[in-house]
Amino acid sequence: MKKAEKELKKQLRQDVEIPSVVRKKTDMAFTKIKNEAKQDEAGKTGRVFMPRKRIAIVATVLTLVIGTGTLAGVQYAKWSDGVNISVHGTDKQKEKLDKQGYTSYPNVSVTRNGVTVTVTQCIADSYGAVISLKVEGYQPPKGKAATFGKLRFPDSRDTMSAGGGGFYEVSSNEDGSSNTVKEDGTMEYIIGLSACERGSLLNHKISIELTDIGYDLGKNEMKIEKKGVWNLEWILKGSNECQKFDINKEFGNTGVKLVSAEISALGLELVSDYPKGCKYADMNGEHQPPSFAGVKMKDGKVYTYESVVDGSGEQFETGSSGKLYGKFTETVTTKKILEVKQIKALLFFKKSAGDSETYKAEDYYEIPLEVEK
């Protein structure tokens, strides 16, 4: 892992539930999702949501809020520090998102035990959202990183497929510990959400529940300093603007086709067809379409997985025998603002690309995108 990537991975302290049980809870959450979907199926063809193995979207840990890529996101003055880190783009691109209605400023707050939590900013499209919370009235000891005991999303099954959060890291210490308090004495907590299907988050009620606040002790433990439950509710506003492309192109000679793509500034919905009886297996040995890996731009630049993708999940058809075939829908949230008209082609993993920051054409299926000028 490169030094720059290591530094970036410290930008946010991931602390959903207690940071301890991140991977265990992730596996449990997705097992529950798959089991519920199979129960709903009841022996007939149904829809199942599950994560791509290659892509680290999780139901209890933040993926929308960046661990890799560059820190080169411009500090757009109107946005918070954490949101600027979470959404990479130029000042002009960020201003454009504001004008297009992607951003909102709910200013909803709740106070418990002397600690006030306020929803200050949201950026949302049809595929996901980034939410910034201001935390006032509590500061951890110097050199300690703040953490909430739990983060829950009540009544969210019909709107979101995954979500998580973490405190924005203001600076780091030589011993690797983090500082989460800003100069004005406040802290910022960033939440990332992924829609369970296109548009399911927009104009719907978002419910967030945070429990207890304190600081990280390391070794999967925290010190609770203020007990309480902070419940926040509001209607999420954003933009459903996107461009749709009918593609119907095969991934090499696999027999699997990319049928269509919908692309917004902050996400993609990719529909593939995996024929019944198809023998193709992806780079993980799974009998399913190749997963999204990045974009190639008209100016020759290539943005691979590490620099563009925040998280991804898929929905697919399953027969009563449990075999997978038919329509696969992969929904991708991005940390880089996409200029759709400048995209030349979509990239998909052909095989394990190793360090996927380094582009090698032979590692990818390339599907041309015909974009209107």
Side-chain angles (χ1 to χ4, degrees):
M1 186 184 294
K2 295 181 179 179
K3 182 178 179 181
E5 183 176 335
K6 288 181 180 178
E7 290 299 314
L8 278 162
K9 286 195 172 182
K10 294 190 294 184
Q11 285 301 311
L12 290 163
R13 304 286 297 186
Q14 293 181 337
D15 60 284
V16 180
E17 292 292 324
I18 290 179
S20 52
V21 286
V22 170
R23 178 53 52 193
K24 182 178 179 182
K25 287 184 175 292
T26 298
D27 294 340
M28 288 171 62
F30 277 119
T31 297
K32 182 180 179 183
I33 290 169
K34 289 188 283 184
N35 288 341
E36 285 175 349
K38 288 177 181 177
Q39 288 167 9
D40 291 342
E41 176 191 351
K44 62 181 183 293
T45 299
R47 208 170 49 169
V48 177
F49 179 90
M50 66 181 294
R52 289 284 191 176
K53 282 189 176 181
R54 177 65 177 79
I55 300 175
I57 189 169
V58 295
T60 53
V61 171
L62 184 63
T63 53
L64 205 83
V65 190
I66 338 315
T68 56
T70 71
L71 199 59
V74 173
Q75 289 295 107
Y76 181 48
K78 198 173 179 180
W79 291 6
S80 71
D81 295 329
V83 174
N84 268 300
I85 285 292
S86 304
V87 181
H88 298 176
T90 65
D91 191 272
K92 185 177 180 180
Q93 288 173 324
K94 293 178 179 182
E95 183 179 10
K96 186 177 179 181
L97 289 192
D98 264 349
K99 291 180 178 179
Q100 290 177 330
Y102 282 85
T103 55
S104 62
Y105 303 88
N107 197 32
V108 174
S109 65
V110 62
T111 301
R112 295 286 183 272
N113 201 8
V115 178
T116 300
V117 180
T118 305
V119 184
T120 58
Q121 183 181 355
C122 305
I123 297 183
D125 69 355
S126 294
Y127 313 105
V130 176
I131 299 164
S132 175
L133 308 181
K134 179 193 284 188
V135 180
E136 303 171 273
Y138 169 72
Q139 293 183 13
K142 188 174 181 180
K144 299 293 184 181
T147 181
F148 281 109
K150 290 183 181 180
L151 166 63
R152 293 183 59 245
F153 303 96
D155 306 318
S156 61
R157 182 176 176 181
D158 294 332
T159 56
M160 58 180 285
S161 63
F167 276 97
Y168 170 75
E169 184 183 71
V170 176
S171 61
S172 58
N173 303 310
E174 291 184 2
D175 63 0
S177 60
S178 302
N179 302 308
T180 53
V181 180
K182 299 185 179 184
E183 289 185 2
D184 64 0
T186 67
M187 296 185 291
E188 183 176 5
Y189 192 80
I190 296 290
I191 291 174
L193 305 178
S194 291
C196 64
E197 59 184 34
R198 187 182 185 279
S200 63
L201 286 171
L202 291 180
N203 299 312
H204 284 83
K205 181 179 75 174
I206 301 299
S207 299
I208 293 172
E209 181 181 287
L210 295 156
T211 304
D212 300 336
I213 192 169
Y215 58 89
D216 185 9
L217 293 173
K219 296 183 179 180
N220 304 326
E221 296 181 356
M222 70 171 286
K223 169 67 174 177
I224 297 174
E225 294 210 295
K226 293 206 173 187
K227 286 186 171 291
V229 178
W230 292 263
N231 290 292
L232 295 153
E233 290 187 353
W234 74 100
I235 302 299
L236 182 67
K237 300 295 183 181
S239 173
N240 62 3
E241 182 175 318
C242 68
Q243 284 187 253
K244 184 171 182 177
F245 303 90
D246 294 319
I247 297 174
N248 291 308
K249 293 189 184 330
E250 188 175 356
F251 297 102
N253 297 313
T254 63
V256 184
K257 286 186 177 181
L258 180 63
V259 177
S260 64
E262 289 190 13
I263 309 175
S264 78
L266 295 171
L268 306 91
E269 183 177 81
L270 306 165
V271 178
S272 300
D273 182 62
Y274 189 95
K276 189 174 182 178
C278 183
K279 303 296 184 183
Y280 170 78
D282 69 8
M283 65 179 187
N284 296 307
E286 301 287 341
H287 291 277
Q288 60 188 30
S291 58
F292 177 74
V295 293
K296 179 181 280 189
M297 309 303 287
K298 291 180 179 179
D299 63 5
K301 292 180 181 177
V302 175
Y303 299 106
T304 55
Y305 174 85
E306 274 24 353
S307 61
V308 70
V309 175
D310 273 322
S312 175
E314 65 186 2
Q315 292 176 340
F316 52 83
E317 301 298 325
T318 178
S320 58
S321 64
K323 292 184 179 179
L324 309 178
Y325 58 84
K327 185 177 77 170
F328 280 64
T329 302
E330 182 179 10
T331 302
V332 180
T333 53
T334 67
K335 60 191 172 190
K336 181 175 181 60
I337 298 172
L338 299 176
E339 294 278 2
V340 181
K341 290 185 178 181
Q342 300 305 315
I343 298 175
K344 180 180 180 181
L346 303 177
L347 304 177
F348 296 81
F349 285 109
K350 183 182 293 185
K351 58 182 180 180
S352 180
D355 178 7
S356 53
E357 289 182 355
T358 304
Y359 173 71
K360 295 180 181 178
E362 61 268 24
D363 291 334
Y364 301 93
Y365 295 110
E366 184 176 313
I367 304 294
L369 197 65
E370 296 179 6
V371 182
E372 295 180 3
K373 296 182 178 180

